[in-house]
């Protein structure tokens, strides 16, 4: 298929995410993956959508840049928070259970205000819009609309305890209404009852959003261990490890002691959002992990991951997730993509998503970074002008998110250099006197 041809196979993609009063994002933040006229040639995916004559341009990657503690991680966490609420709402909620949310904590008014989440998606070539608003104990609002024939059609719209069902849920209205609770999302209830009309939407949250952060690296190492079971994926994983020039010559499964098994099980539950003792929990064995082989003067030596360098562990934790997401499609959220990795490796990860050859299923990468090599100079950059976003924190601690395209950048602009010069904001206000006072003794 020509790279500019419309992709008509059943693909999924995130078009936009919106959140309000989530973590450091007190006010509304909006992240878009719609392709624009500023897109790099050959990067945009033209996805067909039911009932529309024109395809929808979709970006396979977006990068967020900004100073430390400005909200870069908070944006990724907000997306993952939405996944957690959807996945766990019905499964873990008792009659008086608190709803999982992380409101803005730096003023008392925001702590009391509800949190809001919205996504715009393409699922199997049908466009969907879904969102909800929650406080600590109530679902205040929730909606799902889709566009099966190019026009918006209501699946359901919830206002507190009142639910207005669309045609797609008419036959299941009574069952879903009886099962509803004020602290549970209807989408989660519908999944528990096997409601076919909402199956794709729930499954996207359950399986297509994955978060790579330093907190879940052990669990991601287990995902890599799972890939070693198959000869094909083992060789591909080994190719990624060899490419990074880490001195690795082989990869092997290794048995773990019981106490380590349970610790890693807990990490996997956290990563996958499953309950202890559930069917999903039992389906994933963590009895084994992997050891990496290195060449020595007398042969091959196996080293467990915990004894490898931090850079090796970071790359190993990414490699398994990269293979899985690029093979199956989905959205990979990568916190501090540049941490402990060579700049060229960071660029390679982004290029894997940008390329239609290595990313035929329209997998998407949303990452944050301090690496200005990604921004590039002139036309040598890893991400296009409509794929770059910035975060900035106000004096009151609230984060804002805004795109580079708001500055009307030209194709030949040296974006990396301009960013470091403060042309786009998102730079710290550093007072040299503060650091001097920390190290220069006074009165001695």
């Amino acid at each position: 298929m020509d790279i500019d041809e419309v992709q008509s196979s059943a693909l999924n993609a995130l078009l936009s995410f919106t959140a309000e009063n989530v973590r450091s994002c007190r006010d509304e933040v909006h992240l878009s993956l719609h392709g624009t006229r500023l897109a790099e040639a050959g990067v945009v995916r033209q996805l067909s959508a039911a009932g529309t004559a024109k395809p929808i341009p979709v970006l396979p990657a977006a990068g967020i840049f900004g100073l430390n503690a400005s909200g870069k991680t908070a944006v990724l966490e907000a997306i993952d928070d939405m996944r957690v609420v959807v996945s766990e709402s019905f499964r873990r909620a008792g009659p008086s259970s608190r709803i999982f949310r992380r409101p803005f904590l730096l003023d008392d008014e925001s702590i009391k205000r509800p949190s809001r989440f919205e996504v715009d998606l393409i699922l199997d070539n049908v466009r969907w819009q879904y969102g909800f608003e929650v406080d600590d104990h109530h679902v205040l609002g929730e909606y799902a609309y889709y566009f099966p024939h190019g026009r918006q059609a209501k699946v359901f719209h919830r206002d507190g305890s009142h639910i207005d069902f669309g045609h797609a849920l008419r036959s299941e209205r009574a069952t879903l209404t009886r099962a509803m609770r004020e602290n549970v999302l209807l989408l989660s209830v519908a999944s528990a009852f096997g409601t076919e009309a909402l199956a794709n939407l729930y499954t996207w949250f359950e399986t297509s959003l994955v978060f790579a952060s330093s907190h879940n690296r052990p669990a991601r190492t287990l995902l890599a261990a799972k890939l070693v079971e198959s000869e094909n994926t083992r060789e591909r994983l080994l190719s990624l490890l060899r490419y990074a020039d880490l001195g690795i010559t082989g990869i092997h499964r290794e048995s773990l002691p019981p106490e380590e098994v349970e610790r890693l099980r807990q990490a996997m539950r956290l990563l996958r959002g499953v309950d202890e003792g559930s069917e999903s929990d039992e389906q994933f064995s963590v009895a084994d992990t992997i050891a990496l082989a290195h060449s020595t003067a007398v042969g091959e030596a196996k080293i467990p991951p915990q004894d490898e360098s931090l850079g090796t562990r970071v790359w190993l934790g990414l490699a398994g997730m990269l293979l899985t997401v690029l093979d199956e499609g989905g959205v990979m959220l990568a916190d501090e993509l540049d941490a402990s990795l060579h700049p060229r490796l960071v660029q390679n990860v982004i290029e894997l998503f940008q390329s239609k050859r290595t990313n035929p299923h329209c997998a998407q990468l949303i990452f944050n970074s301090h690496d200005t090599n990604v921004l590039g100079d002139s036309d040598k950059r890893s991400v296009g002008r409509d794929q770059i976003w910035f975060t900035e924190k106000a004096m009151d601690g609230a984060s804002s998110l805004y795109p580079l395209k708001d500055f009307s950048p030209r194709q030949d602009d040296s974006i990396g250099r301009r960013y470091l010069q403060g042309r786009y904001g998102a730079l710290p206000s550093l007072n040299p006197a503060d650091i001097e006072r920390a190290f220069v003794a006074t009165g001695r």
Side-chain angles (χ1 to χ4, degrees), residues 9-164:
S9 59
L11 297 176
N12 300 336
L14 175 64
L15 300 178
S16 68
F17 169 78
T18 304
E20 182 179 356
N21 195 27
V22 182
R23 298 190 181 260
S24 66
C25 305
R26 181 193 62 195
D27 306 315
E28 180 180 288
V29 293
H30 178 78
L31 178 72
S32 173
L33 287 104
H34 277 274
T36 72
R37 62 178 181 80
L38 298 179
E40 298 293 305
V43 167
V44 171
R45 308 303 198 267
Q46 300 289 349
L47 299 192
S48 63
T52 59
K54 291 185 177 181
I56 298 176
V58 178
L59 296 170
I64 304 173
F65 301 83
L67 66 152
N68 292 325
S70 64
K72 299 187 304 299
T73 296
V75 174
L76 302 186
E77 289 176 330
I79 301 173
D80 193 58
D81 285 352
M82 188 178 190
R83 176 196 65 81
V84 171
V85 178
V86 171
S87 299
E88 299 184 359
S89 180
F90 182 80
R91 185 165 54 223
R92 297 193 176 184
S96 60
S97 298
R98 290 174 64 93
I99 296 173
F100 172 84
R101 74 178 188 118
R102 296 290 186 268
F104 184 73
L105 297 176
L106 297 184
D107 67 63
D108 293 339
E109 192 62 32
S110 293
I111 294 173
K112 300 172 186 175
R113 285 196 302 115
S115 300
R116 179 170 61 90
F117 302 85
E118 299 176 354
V119 289
D120 192 355
L121 305 164
I122 296 177
L123 301 176
D124 291 339
N125 297 124
V126 176
R127 189 168 182 175
W128 284 78
Q129 293 172 341
Y130 173 71
F132 56 83
E133 187 174 26
V134 296
D135 63 17
D136 290 339
H137 296 283
H138 307 87
V139 177
L140 304 175
E142 185 184 7
Y143 67 86
Y145 291 88
Y146 72 150
F147 299 73
H149 307 293
R151 294 184 179 182
Q152 187 185 75
K154 176 173 57 186
V155 182
F156 70 87
H157 192 106
R158 175 182 183 180
D159 186 1
S161 60
H162 175 74
I163 304 174
D164 187 11

Side-chain angles (χ1 to χ4, degrees), residues 33 43 59-63 350 353-354 363-367 383 386-387:
L33 287 104
V43 167
L59 296 170
I350 298 168
F353 286 84
Q354 300 278 63
Q364 293 170 291
L365 172 69
I366 303 174
F367 69 95
V383 285
D386 58 351
Q387 296 176 285

Side-chain angles (χ1 to χ4, degrees), residues 268-408:
M268 277 304 303
R269 292 179 193 124
L270 180 64
L271 177 65
R272 300 169 68 241
V274 301
D275 292 321
E276 182 175 356
S278 69
E279 182 179 349
S280 297
D281 185 32
E282 295 303 320
Q283 286 175 352
F284 196 93
S285 170
V286 293
D288 298 326
T289 185
I290 54 181
L292 302 177
H294 295 257
S295 180
T296 72
V298 294
E300 191 177 73
K302 295 180 184 178
I303 301 178
Q306 64 267 24
D307 293 328
E308 294 281 1
S309 70
L310 179 57
T312 298
R313 283 179 279 148
V314 168
W315 185 244
L316 176 62
L318 279 175
M321 187 172 280
L322 282 171
L323 285 177
T324 302
V325 172
L326 290 167
D327 279 356
E328 301 174 3
V331 180
M332 178 174 168
L333 310 172
D335 186 32
E336 296 187 357
L337 182 60
D338 56 324
S340 302
L341 291 181
H342 189 277
R344 185 57 192 152
L345 274 181
V346 174
Q347 293 172 33
N348 288 152
V349 170
I350 298 168
E351 289 165 4
L352 287 172
F353 286 84
Q354 300 278 63
S355 169
K356 294 176 183 176
R357 185 172 61 85
T358 53
N359 182 16
H361 302 295
C362 197
Q364 293 170 291
L365 172 69
I366 303 174
F367 69 95
N368 61 44
S369 175
H370 289 289
D371 185 3
T372 57
N373 292 292
V374 173
L375 298 174
D377 289 322
S378 190
D379 60 346
K380 296 179 180 179
R381 59 179 67 96
S382 299
V383 285
R385 291 168 291 165
D386 58 351
Q387 296 176 285
I388 298 170
W389 294 74
F390 301 110
T391 51
E392 201 162 48
K393 183 166 285 189
M395 293 295 293
D396 59 8
S399 299
S400 59
L401 176 71
Y402 54 95
L404 171 67
K405 66 182 180 65
D406 283 356
F407 297 88
S408 302

Side-chain angles (χ1 to χ4, degrees), residues 196-208:
E196 186 176 350
L198 288 167
N200 283 356
L201 180 59
Y202 181 86
T203 298
W204 184 83
F205 283 101
E206 182 78 352
T207 65
S208 295

